[in-house]
Amino acid sequence: MKRIVCLISGRGSNLAAILRTAESERWATEIPAAVVAVISNRADAAGLAVAAAHGVPAAVLEHQSFASREQFDARLAEAIEAHRADLVVLAGFMRVLGGAFVNRFCGRLVNVHPSLLPAFPGLATHRRALAAGVRVHGATVHFVSGDVDGGAIIAQAALGVLPEDNEETLAARVLQREHVLLPRCVRWLCEGRVALQNGRVVTRDLAADHLALLG
Ligand code: GRF
């Protein structure tokens, strides 16, 4: 059984998507995976209520209470290891993790990012996509590396940018795709169908079109 720990900072809609999928696909019974804990770096994260609603233990570890990034990261790593996590999912975790943390969890740390990486790493991705005039935009699930939003790409969901789109409409459509893409990737990781080997993503029993959601 793969033990998943989700890290959040806010709304928690991606967490909700994972937990809904886990329930509807009967993870733990049919699939060797279970979300065993949620950790938020913010006490006011709405996602904490999502965890509670699904009966998943949640904890708050506020980064402001630590003197340095390294100290926060070290405490966070301990909290994750206490749950014997096989997989750590950054589900809207809005805090950069330092090199020591990333190395410690290398190959079992994934993130969802609201753009087609390597385009638009960082914040305000939808605004920047609109400003750049791109016709295709989307979301990426990737392994986390030392470069922010720069790790090996697992899968992407693409959608067309409409002439009438604004930041809100585009964000909403991308988010819907994230909610499909992320639970799917988490499941594949737990099934051993996706892994990181020597810095590259390797897959087993996955058609190429599984990894690219188009339209
Ligand atoms: C998502 O758009 C995700 O891609 C980004 O932060 C947002 C989190 O949303 N990293 P939510 O908390 O999952 O609703």
Side-chain angles (χ1 to χ4, degrees):
M1 178 68 63
K2 300 289 185 197
R3 300 170 62 84
I4 304 161
V5 171
C6 292
L7 305 189
I8 62 166
S9 298
R11 183 176 52 187
S13 71
N14 276 290
L15 170 67
I18 292 170
L19 294 174
R20 269 197 315 268
T21 305
E23 285 168 10
S24 71
E25 294 181 352
R26 298 167 48 83
W27 293 9
T29 314
E30 312 270 330
I31 301 199
V35 178
V36 295
V38 171
I39 303 173
S40 171
N41 68 318
R42 297 182 57 110
D44 61 356
L48 290 166
V50 172
H54 288 266
V56 178
V60 176
L61 201 58
E62 283 184 296
H63 60 268
Q64 292 106 321
S65 340
F66 292 82
S68 69
R69 183 182 301 281
E70 290 69 30
Q71 284 173 26
F72 169 72
D73 284 3
R75 182 68 196 85
L76 179 62
E78 277 172 25
I80 293 168
E81 297 288 21
H83 291 288
R84 291 178 286 118
D86 299 292
L87 180 64
V88 181
V89 179
L90 306 185
F93 186 71
M94 303 307 284
R95 179 116 192 116
V96 173
L97 294 161
F101 184 99
V102 169
N103 287 338
R104 183 164 171 175
F105 291 97
C106 181
R108 50 189 179 123
L109 180 62
V110 297
N111 181 44
V112 59
H113 180 76
S115 80
L116 294 174
L117 291 170
F120 312 118
L123 299 174
T125 54
H126 310 303
R127 191 184 321 152
R128 287 155 59 212
L130 288 169
V134 297
R135 301 298 185 209
V136 180
H137 185 47
T140 302
V141 175
H142 63 94
F143 284 104
V144 176
S145 74
D147 302 324
V148 175
D149 301 324
I153 290 171
I154 297 171
Q156 294 183 306
L159 49 82
V161 179
L162 305 174
E164 63 270 27
D165 263 328
N166 57 40
E167 208 178 329
E168 287 69 40
T169 59
L170 191 54
R173 289 212 314 292
V174 171
L175 192 64
Q176 280 178 359
R177 307 303 284 152
E178 291 181 38
H179 294 166
V180 176
L181 190 70
L182 182 60
R184 215 174 265 190
C185 289
V186 169
R187 176 182 163 157
W188 291 333
L189 286 153
C190 291
E191 291 175 322
R193 296 165 79 186
V194 175
L196 187 69
Q197 268 177 24
N198 304 319
R200 295 190 68 86
V201 172
V202 292
T203 63
R204 185 168 55 79
D205 298 332
L206 273 183
D209 61 355
H210 280 85
L211 301 172
L213 304 190
L214 305 175

Short mmCIF file of all heavy atoms in Angstrom, two decimals, residues 59-122:
data_model
loop_
_atom_site.label_atom_id
_atom_site.label_comp_id
_atom_site.label_asym_id
_atom_site.label_seq_id
_atom_site.Cartn_x
_atom_site.Cartn_y
_atom_site.Cartn_z
N ALA A 59 -2.77 18.40 9.53
CA ALA A 59 -1.95 19.13 10.48
C ALA A 59 -1.53 20.45 9.87
O ALA A 59 -1.48 20.58 8.64
CB ALA A 59 -0.71 18.32 10.84
N VAL A 60 -1.26 21.43 10.72
CA VAL A 60 -0.78 22.73 10.26
C VAL A 60 0.65 22.92 10.75
O VAL A 60 0.94 22.67 11.91
CB VAL A 60 -1.67 23.87 10.81
CG1 VAL A 60 -1.10 25.23 10.41
CG2 VAL A 60 -3.10 23.72 10.30
N LEU A 61 1.50 23.33 9.83
CA LEU A 61 2.89 23.63 10.18
C LEU A 61 3.18 24.98 9.54
O LEU A 61 3.42 25.07 8.33
CB LEU A 61 3.78 22.54 9.58
CG LEU A 61 5.16 22.33 10.18
CD1 LEU A 61 5.06 22.01 11.66
CD2 LEU A 61 5.86 21.20 9.45
N GLU A 62 3.07 26.03 10.34
CA GLU A 62 3.16 27.38 9.77
C GLU A 62 4.61 27.78 9.54
O GLU A 62 5.40 27.79 10.49
CB GLU A 62 2.46 28.37 10.68
CG GLU A 62 0.95 28.30 10.54
CD GLU A 62 0.25 29.34 11.38
OE1 GLU A 62 0.37 29.27 12.60
OE2 GLU A 62 -0.40 30.23 10.79
N HIS A 63 4.91 28.13 8.30
CA HIS A 63 6.31 28.44 8.00
C HIS A 63 6.78 29.69 8.74
O HIS A 63 7.95 29.81 9.07
CB HIS A 63 6.52 28.58 6.48
CG HIS A 63 5.70 29.65 5.85
ND1 HIS A 63 4.46 29.42 5.33
CD2 HIS A 63 5.96 30.97 5.67
CE1 HIS A 63 3.98 30.56 4.85
NE2 HIS A 63 4.86 31.51 5.04
N GLN A 64 5.82 30.60 9.07
CA GLN A 64 6.23 31.84 9.77
C GLN A 64 6.81 31.54 11.15
O GLN A 64 7.53 32.36 11.71
CB GLN A 64 5.06 32.81 9.97
CG GLN A 64 4.52 33.42 8.72
CD GLN A 64 3.18 32.78 8.38
OE1 GLN A 64 3.02 31.57 8.55
NE2 GLN A 64 2.24 33.58 7.90
N SER A 65 6.46 30.40 11.72
CA SER A 65 6.96 30.11 13.07
C SER A 65 8.40 29.63 13.08
O SER A 65 8.93 29.33 14.14
CB SER A 65 6.10 29.04 13.76
OG SER A 65 4.87 28.92 13.19
N PHE A 66 9.00 29.52 11.91
CA PHE A 66 10.37 29.02 11.86
C PHE A 66 11.34 30.13 11.47
O PHE A 66 11.00 31.01 10.68
CB PHE A 66 10.47 27.86 10.86
CG PHE A 66 9.71 26.64 11.32
CD1 PHE A 66 8.35 26.55 11.14
CD2 PHE A 66 10.37 25.63 11.99
CE1 PHE A 66 7.63 25.44 11.59
CE2 PHE A 66 9.67 24.51 12.46
CZ PHE A 66 8.30 24.43 12.25
N ALA A 67 12.54 30.06 12.03
CA ALA A 67 13.52 31.14 11.81
C ALA A 67 14.08 31.09 10.40
O ALA A 67 14.49 32.13 9.87
CB ALA A 67 14.65 31.00 12.84
N SER A 68 14.10 29.93 9.78
CA SER A 68 14.68 29.84 8.44
C SER A 68 13.92 28.82 7.60
O SER A 68 13.20 27.96 8.13
CB SER A 68 16.15 29.41 8.52
OG SER A 68 16.20 28.05 8.96
N ARG A 69 14.11 28.92 6.30
CA ARG A 69 13.52 27.95 5.37
C ARG A 69 14.00 26.54 5.71
O ARG A 69 13.24 25.59 5.71
CB ARG A 69 13.91 28.31 3.93
CG ARG A 69 13.28 27.40 2.89
CD ARG A 69 13.72 27.76 1.48
NE ARG A 69 13.38 29.11 1.09
CZ ARG A 69 12.16 29.51 0.70
NH1 ARG A 69 11.18 28.64 0.65
NH2 ARG A 69 11.95 30.75 0.36
N GLU A 70 15.30 26.43 6.04
CA GLU A 70 15.88 25.11 6.32
C GLU A 70 15.20 24.46 7.53
O GLU A 70 14.92 23.26 7.53
CB GLU A 70 17.39 25.21 6.57
CG GLU A 70 18.22 25.55 5.34
CD GLU A 70 18.00 26.98 4.82
OE1 GLU A 70 17.69 27.88 5.64
OE2 GLU A 70 18.09 27.19 3.59
N GLN A 71 14.94 25.29 8.55
CA GLN A 71 14.31 24.73 9.76
C GLN A 71 12.88 24.28 9.47
O GLN A 71 12.44 23.23 9.94
CB GLN A 71 14.32 25.76 10.89
CG GLN A 71 15.70 25.89 11.52
CD GLN A 71 15.75 27.02 12.54
OE1 GLN A 71 14.73 27.40 13.12
NE2 GLN A 71 16.92 27.58 12.73
N PHE A 72 12.16 25.10 8.71
CA PHE A 72 10.79 24.71 8.34
C PHE A 72 10.82 23.41 7.52
O PHE A 72 10.09 22.46 7.81
CB PHE A 72 10.11 25.83 7.54
CG PHE A 72 8.80 25.40 6.91
CD1 PHE A 72 7.67 25.19 7.70
CD2 PHE A 72 8.71 25.18 5.54
CE1 PHE A 72 6.47 24.78 7.13
CE2 PHE A 72 7.51 24.77 4.96
CZ PHE A 72 6.39 24.57 5.76
N ASP A 73 11.69 23.39 6.52
CA ASP A 73 11.78 22.20 5.66
C ASP A 73 12.10 20.95 6.47
O ASP A 73 11.54 19.88 6.22
CB ASP A 73 12.87 22.40 4.60
CG ASP A 73 12.45 23.33 3.47
OD1 ASP A 73 11.33 23.87 3.54
OD2 ASP A 73 13.25 23.50 2.53
N ALA A 74 13.02 21.09 7.43
CA ALA A 74 13.44 19.93 8.22
C ALA A 74 12.29 19.40 9.06
O ALA A 74 12.05 18.19 9.14
CB ALA A 74 14.62 20.30 9.10
N ARG A 75 11.53 20.32 9.64
CA ARG A 75 10.37 19.92 10.47
C ARG A 75 9.28 19.30 9.60
O ARG A 75 8.65 18.32 9.97
CB ARG A 75 9.86 21.16 11.22
CG ARG A 75 8.72 20.93 12.14
CD ARG A 75 9.10 20.09 13.35
NE ARG A 75 7.89 19.60 14.01
CZ ARG A 75 7.22 18.50 13.67
NH1 ARG A 75 7.68 17.74 12.69
NH2 ARG A 75 6.11 18.15 14.31
N LEU A 76 9.10 19.89 8.42
CA LEU A 76 8.10 19.35 7.49
C LEU A 76 8.49 17.93 7.06
O LEU A 76 7.66 17.02 7.02
CB LEU A 76 8.00 20.28 6.27
CG LEU A 76 7.02 19.88 5.17
CD1 LEU A 76 5.58 19.85 5.70
CD2 LEU A 76 7.11 20.85 3.99
N ALA A 77 9.78 17.75 6.77
CA ALA A 77 10.25 16.43 6.36
C ALA A 77 10.01 15.40 7.46
O ALA A 77 9.55 14.29 7.19
CB ALA A 77 11.74 16.50 6.00
N GLU A 78 10.27 15.81 8.70
CA GLU A 78 10.02 14.90 9.83
C GLU A 78 8.54 14.52 9.91
O GLU A 78 8.20 13.37 10.14
CB GLU A 78 10.38 15.58 11.16
CG GLU A 78 11.82 15.53 11.52
CD GLU A 78 12.09 16.41 12.75
OE1 GLU A 78 11.15 16.65 13.56
OE2 GLU A 78 13.23 16.87 12.88
N ALA A 79 7.69 15.54 9.75
CA ALA A 79 6.24 15.29 9.85
C ALA A 79 5.80 14.32 8.75
O ALA A 79 4.98 13.42 8.98
CB ALA A 79 5.48 16.60 9.73
N ILE A 80 6.37 14.48 7.57
CA ILE A 80 6.01 13.60 6.45
C ILE A 80 6.52 12.18 6.72
O ILE A 80 5.80 11.19 6.54
CB ILE A 80 6.59 14.15 5.13
CG1 ILE A 80 5.90 15.47 4.77
CG2 ILE A 80 6.45 13.14 4.00
CD1 ILE A 80 6.59 16.25 3.66
N GLU A 81 7.77 12.09 7.17
CA GLU A 81 8.36 10.77 7.42
C GLU A 81 7.61 10.04 8.54
O GLU A 81 7.52 8.81 8.54
CB GLU A 81 9.84 10.88 7.78
CG GLU A 81 10.74 11.46 6.68
CD GLU A 81 10.98 10.50 5.51
OE1 GLU A 81 10.18 9.55 5.31
OE2 GLU A 81 11.96 10.74 4.78
N ALA A 82 7.06 10.82 9.50
CA ALA A 82 6.31 10.19 10.59
C ALA A 82 5.10 9.43 10.04
O ALA A 82 4.63 8.48 10.66
CB ALA A 82 5.86 11.25 11.59
N HIS A 83 4.62 9.85 8.87
CA HIS A 83 3.49 9.15 8.23
C HIS A 83 3.98 8.05 7.28
O HIS A 83 3.19 7.46 6.57
CB HIS A 83 2.62 10.14 7.46
CG HIS A 83 1.86 11.07 8.35
ND1 HIS A 83 0.79 10.67 9.11
CD2 HIS A 83 2.03 12.38 8.62
CE1 HIS A 83 0.32 11.69 9.80
NE2 HIS A 83 1.06 12.75 9.53
N ARG A 84 5.27 7.82 7.24
CA ARG A 84 5.90 6.80 6.37
C ARG A 84 5.40 6.97 4.92
O ARG A 84 4.90 6.03 4.31
CB ARG A 84 5.61 5.39 6.90
CG ARG A 84 6.34 5.12 8.22
CD ARG A 84 6.02 3.76 8.80
NE ARG A 84 4.68 3.71 9.38
CZ ARG A 84 3.69 2.93 8.96
NH1 ARG A 84 3.89 2.10 7.96
NH2 ARG A 84 2.51 2.97 9.53
N ALA A 85 5.54 8.20 4.43
CA ALA A 85 5.01 8.52 3.10
C ALA A 85 5.85 7.88 2.00
O ALA A 85 7.07 7.91 2.03
CB ALA A 85 5.00 10.03 2.90
N ASP A 86 5.17 7.29 1.04
CA ASP A 86 5.82 6.81 -0.18
C ASP A 86 5.79 7.88 -1.26
O ASP A 86 6.61 7.90 -2.16
CB ASP A 86 5.09 5.57 -0.72
CG ASP A 86 5.11 4.43 0.27
OD1 ASP A 86 6.20 3.90 0.50
OD2 ASP A 86 4.04 4.11 0.81
N LEU A 87 4.77 8.74 -1.17
CA LEU A 87 4.57 9.77 -2.19
C LEU A 87 4.10 11.05 -1.51
O LEU A 87 3.19 11.01 -0.66
CB LEU A 87 3.51 9.29 -3.19
CG LEU A 87 3.17 10.23 -4.33
CD1 LEU A 87 4.37 10.45 -5.25
CD2 LEU A 87 1.99 9.70 -5.15
N VAL A 88 4.72 12.16 -1.89
CA VAL A 88 4.34 13.47 -1.36
C VAL A 88 3.81 14.29 -2.53
O VAL A 88 4.52 14.50 -3.52
CB VAL A 88 5.54 14.18 -0.69
CG1 VAL A 88 5.12 15.52 -0.11
CG2 VAL A 88 6.14 13.29 0.39
N VAL A 89 2.56 14.75 -2.39
CA VAL A 89 1.92 15.49 -3.49
C VAL A 89 1.76 16.95 -3.08
O VAL A 89 1.10 17.24 -2.07
CB VAL A 89 0.54 14.88 -3.82
CG1 VAL A 89 -0.13 15.66 -4.95
CG2 VAL A 89 0.67 13.42 -4.19
N LEU A 90 2.36 17.85 -3.85
CA LEU A 90 2.16 19.27 -3.62
C LEU A 90 0.87 19.64 -4.35
O LEU A 90 0.85 19.77 -5.58
CB LEU A 90 3.35 20.08 -4.16
CG LEU A 90 4.73 19.66 -3.64
CD1 LEU A 90 5.80 20.63 -4.16
CD2 LEU A 90 4.76 19.61 -2.12
N ALA A 91 -0.22 19.75 -3.60
CA ALA A 91 -1.54 20.00 -4.19
C ALA A 91 -1.91 21.44 -3.86
O ALA A 91 -2.74 21.71 -3.00
CB ALA A 91 -2.56 19.01 -3.61
N GLY A 92 -1.26 22.36 -4.56
CA GLY A 92 -1.48 23.77 -4.25
C GLY A 92 -0.67 24.18 -3.03
O GLY A 92 -1.15 24.94 -2.18
N PHE A 93 0.55 23.67 -2.94
CA PHE A 93 1.46 24.06 -1.85
C PHE A 93 2.32 25.20 -2.38
O PHE A 93 3.11 25.02 -3.31
CB PHE A 93 2.33 22.86 -1.44
CG PHE A 93 3.19 23.13 -0.24
CD1 PHE A 93 2.63 23.24 1.03
CD2 PHE A 93 4.56 23.25 -0.36
CE1 PHE A 93 3.41 23.47 2.14
CE2 PHE A 93 5.36 23.48 0.75
CZ PHE A 93 4.79 23.59 2.01
N MET A 94 2.12 26.40 -1.80
CA MET A 94 2.66 27.61 -2.40
C MET A 94 3.95 28.08 -1.72
O MET A 94 4.17 29.26 -1.52
CB MET A 94 1.61 28.73 -2.36
CG MET A 94 0.30 28.35 -3.05
SD MET A 94 0.52 27.77 -4.73
CE MET A 94 0.82 29.31 -5.54
N ARG A 95 4.79 27.14 -1.38
CA ARG A 95 6.02 27.50 -0.68
C ARG A 95 7.15 26.75 -1.37
O ARG A 95 7.05 25.55 -1.62
CB ARG A 95 5.87 27.05 0.77
CG ARG A 95 7.03 27.32 1.62
CD ARG A 95 6.73 28.30 2.75
NE ARG A 95 8.00 28.70 3.34
CZ ARG A 95 8.46 29.93 3.31
NH1 ARG A 95 7.75 30.90 2.77
NH2 ARG A 95 9.63 30.21 3.84
N VAL A 96 8.22 27.49 -1.67
CA VAL A 96 9.37 26.86 -2.32
C VAL A 96 10.09 25.99 -1.28
O VAL A 96 10.32 26.41 -0.16
CB VAL A 96 10.33 27.93 -2.88
CG1 VAL A 96 11.62 27.29 -3.38
CG2 VAL A 96 9.64 28.71 -3.99
N LEU A 97 10.40 24.76 -1.69
CA LEU A 97 11.11 23.84 -0.80
C LEU A 97 12.59 23.84 -1.15
O LEU A 97 12.95 23.85 -2.33
CB LEU A 97 10.51 22.44 -0.95
CG LEU A 97 9.05 22.35 -0.46
CD1 LEU A 97 8.35 21.13 -1.04
CD2 LEU A 97 8.99 22.34 1.06
N GLY A 98 13.44 23.82 -0.12
CA GLY A 98 14.88 23.92 -0.35
C GLY A 98 15.49 22.63 -0.89
O GLY A 98 14.85 21.58 -0.92
N GLY A 99 16.74 22.73 -1.29
CA GLY A 99 17.45 21.62 -1.93
C GLY A 99 17.52 20.37 -1.07
O GLY A 99 17.37 19.25 -1.58
N ALA A 100 17.75 20.53 0.23
CA ALA A 100 17.88 19.36 1.10
C ALA A 100 16.57 18.58 1.13
O ALA A 100 16.56 17.35 1.03
CB ALA A 100 18.28 19.79 2.50
N PHE A 101 15.46 19.31 1.22
CA PHE A 101 14.14 18.67 1.24
C PHE A 101 13.89 17.95 -0.08
O PHE A 101 13.47 16.79 -0.12
CB PHE A 101 13.05 19.72 1.50
CG PHE A 101 11.66 19.14 1.63
CD1 PHE A 101 11.10 18.93 2.88
CD2 PHE A 101 10.93 18.81 0.50
CE1 PHE A 101 9.83 18.38 3.00
CE2 PHE A 101 9.66 18.26 0.61
CZ PHE A 101 9.11 18.05 1.86
N VAL A 102 14.15 18.67 -1.16
CA VAL A 102 13.87 18.11 -2.49
C VAL A 102 14.72 16.84 -2.71
O VAL A 102 14.22 15.83 -3.22
CB VAL A 102 14.15 19.17 -3.57
CG1 VAL A 102 14.14 18.56 -4.96
CG2 VAL A 102 13.11 20.29 -3.47
N ASN A 103 15.98 16.88 -2.30
CA ASN A 103 16.84 15.70 -2.47
C ASN A 103 16.34 14.53 -1.63
O ASN A 103 16.34 13.39 -2.08
CB ASN A 103 18.29 16.01 -2.08
CG ASN A 103 18.94 16.89 -3.13
OD1 ASN A 103 18.50 16.92 -4.28
ND2 ASN A 103 19.97 17.62 -2.73
N ARG A 104 15.92 14.85 -0.43
CA ARG A 104 15.45 13.79 0.48
C ARG A 104 14.26 13.03 -0.11
O ARG A 104 14.13 11.83 0.06
CB ARG A 104 15.07 14.44 1.81
CG ARG A 104 14.65 13.49 2.89
CD ARG A 104 14.69 14.24 4.21
NE ARG A 104 14.12 13.49 5.29
CZ ARG A 104 14.13 13.90 6.56
NH1 ARG A 104 14.68 15.05 6.87
NH2 ARG A 104 13.58 13.17 7.51
N PHE A 105 13.39 13.78 -0.81
CA PHE A 105 12.17 13.15 -1.34
C PHE A 105 12.24 12.94 -2.86
O PHE A 105 11.21 12.70 -3.50
CB PHE A 105 10.94 13.99 -0.96
CG PHE A 105 10.66 13.95 0.52
CD1 PHE A 105 11.10 14.96 1.35
CD2 PHE A 105 10.01 12.87 1.08
CE1 PHE A 105 10.88 14.92 2.71
CE2 PHE A 105 9.78 12.81 2.45
CZ PHE A 105 10.21 13.84 3.27
N CYS A 106 13.45 12.97 -3.38
CA CYS A 106 13.62 12.85 -4.84
C CYS A 106 12.93 11.58 -5.37
O CYS A 106 13.12 10.49 -4.84
CB CYS A 106 15.11 12.80 -5.16
SG CYS A 106 15.42 12.67 -6.92
N GLY A 107 12.12 11.75 -6.41
CA GLY A 107 11.44 10.61 -7.02
C GLY A 107 10.12 10.27 -6.37
O GLY A 107 9.35 9.45 -6.87
N ARG A 108 9.84 10.88 -5.21
CA ARG A 108 8.53 10.65 -4.57
C ARG A 108 7.85 11.96 -4.19
O ARG A 108 7.02 12.01 -3.29
CB ARG A 108 8.65 9.69 -3.38
CG ARG A 108 9.71 10.04 -2.39
CD ARG A 108 9.90 8.92 -1.35
NE ARG A 108 10.94 9.26 -0.41
CZ ARG A 108 10.78 9.32 0.91
NH1 ARG A 108 9.63 9.01 1.45
NH2 ARG A 108 11.78 9.64 1.69
N LEU A 109 8.23 13.04 -4.90
CA LEU A 109 7.69 14.37 -4.65
C LEU A 109 7.21 14.95 -5.98
O LEU A 109 8.00 15.12 -6.92
CB LEU A 109 8.80 15.24 -4.06
CG LEU A 109 8.50 16.69 -3.70
CD1 LEU A 109 7.42 16.78 -2.62
CD2 LEU A 109 9.77 17.39 -3.20
N VAL A 110 5.89 15.20 -6.07
CA VAL A 110 5.33 15.71 -7.33
C VAL A 110 4.50 16.96 -7.08
O VAL A 110 3.99 17.18 -5.97
CB VAL A 110 4.47 14.64 -8.07
CG1 VAL A 110 5.32 13.44 -8.46
CG2 VAL A 110 3.27 14.21 -7.24
N ASN A 111 4.36 17.75 -8.14
CA ASN A 111 3.65 19.03 -8.05
C ASN A 111 2.71 19.17 -9.24
O ASN A 111 2.97 18.63 -10.32
CB ASN A 111 4.69 20.16 -8.10
CG ASN A 111 4.06 21.54 -7.98
OD1 ASN A 111 3.17 21.78 -7.16
ND2 ASN A 111 4.51 22.47 -8.81
N VAL A 112 1.63 19.92 -9.03
CA VAL A 112 0.78 20.31 -10.16
C VAL A 112 0.96 21.80 -10.37
O VAL A 112 0.92 22.59 -9.42
CB VAL A 112 -0.70 19.94 -9.94
CG1 VAL A 112 -1.29 20.60 -8.70
CG2 VAL A 112 -1.53 20.30 -11.17
N HIS A 113 1.20 22.17 -11.63
CA HIS A 113 1.46 23.57 -11.95
C HIS A 113 0.50 24.02 -13.06
O HIS A 113 0.32 23.30 -14.05
CB HIS A 113 2.92 23.73 -12.42
CG HIS A 113 3.26 25.15 -12.77
ND1 HIS A 113 3.49 26.11 -11.80
CD2 HIS A 113 3.36 25.77 -13.97
CE1 HIS A 113 3.72 27.27 -12.40
NE2 HIS A 113 3.65 27.09 -13.71
N PRO A 114 -0.08 25.23 -12.93
CA PRO A 114 -1.09 25.66 -13.89
C PRO A 114 -0.53 26.31 -15.15
O PRO A 114 -0.89 27.44 -15.48
CB PRO A 114 -1.95 26.63 -13.07
CG PRO A 114 -1.00 27.23 -12.10
CD PRO A 114 0.03 26.16 -11.78
N SER A 115 0.33 25.59 -15.85
CA SER A 115 0.75 26.01 -17.20
C SER A 115 1.37 24.80 -17.87
O SER A 115 1.63 23.78 -17.23
CB SER A 115 1.79 27.14 -17.16
OG SER A 115 3.08 26.63 -16.88
N LEU A 116 1.59 24.94 -19.17
CA LEU A 116 2.29 23.89 -19.90
C LEU A 116 3.78 24.17 -19.77
O LEU A 116 4.38 24.87 -20.58
CB LEU A 116 1.85 23.90 -21.38
CG LEU A 116 0.38 23.51 -21.62
CD1 LEU A 116 0.03 23.68 -23.09
CD2 LEU A 116 0.12 22.08 -21.17
N LEU A 117 4.37 23.62 -18.73
CA LEU A 117 5.81 23.83 -18.53
C LEU A 117 6.59 23.27 -19.71
O LEU A 117 6.14 22.32 -20.33
CB LEU A 117 6.24 23.14 -17.22
CG LEU A 117 5.70 23.79 -15.93
CD1 LEU A 117 5.98 22.92 -14.72
CD2 LEU A 117 6.32 25.18 -15.74
N PRO A 118 7.72 23.85 -20.09
CA PRO A 118 8.46 24.86 -19.35
C PRO A 118 7.97 26.29 -19.57
O PRO A 118 8.62 27.23 -19.09
CB PRO A 118 9.89 24.70 -19.88
CG PRO A 118 9.70 24.22 -21.28
CD PRO A 118 8.48 23.34 -21.24
N ALA A 119 6.82 26.47 -20.24
CA ALA A 119 6.28 27.83 -20.35
C ALA A 119 5.68 28.26 -19.01
O ALA A 119 5.06 27.45 -18.32
CB ALA A 119 5.20 27.89 -21.43
N PHE A 120 5.89 29.47 -18.65
CA PHE A 120 5.25 30.11 -17.50
C PHE A 120 5.47 29.39 -16.16
O PHE A 120 4.50 29.03 -15.49
CB PHE A 120 3.76 30.33 -17.74
CG PHE A 120 3.46 30.96 -19.07
CD1 PHE A 120 2.70 30.29 -20.02
CD2 PHE A 120 3.96 32.21 -19.39
CE1 PHE A 120 2.44 30.86 -21.26
CE2 PHE A 120 3.71 32.79 -20.62
CZ PHE A 120 2.95 32.10 -21.56
N PRO A 121 6.71 29.17 -15.76
CA PRO A 121 6.93 28.73 -14.38
C PRO A 121 6.58 29.89 -13.44
O PRO A 121 6.41 31.02 -13.89
CB PRO A 121 8.45 28.45 -14.34
CG PRO A 121 9.02 29.32 -15.41
CD PRO A 121 7.96 29.44 -16.48
N GLY A 122 6.43 29.61 -12.15
CA GLY A 122 6.17 30.68 -11.19
C GLY A 122 4.70 31.05 -11.08
O GLY A 122 3.83 30.23 -11.38
#
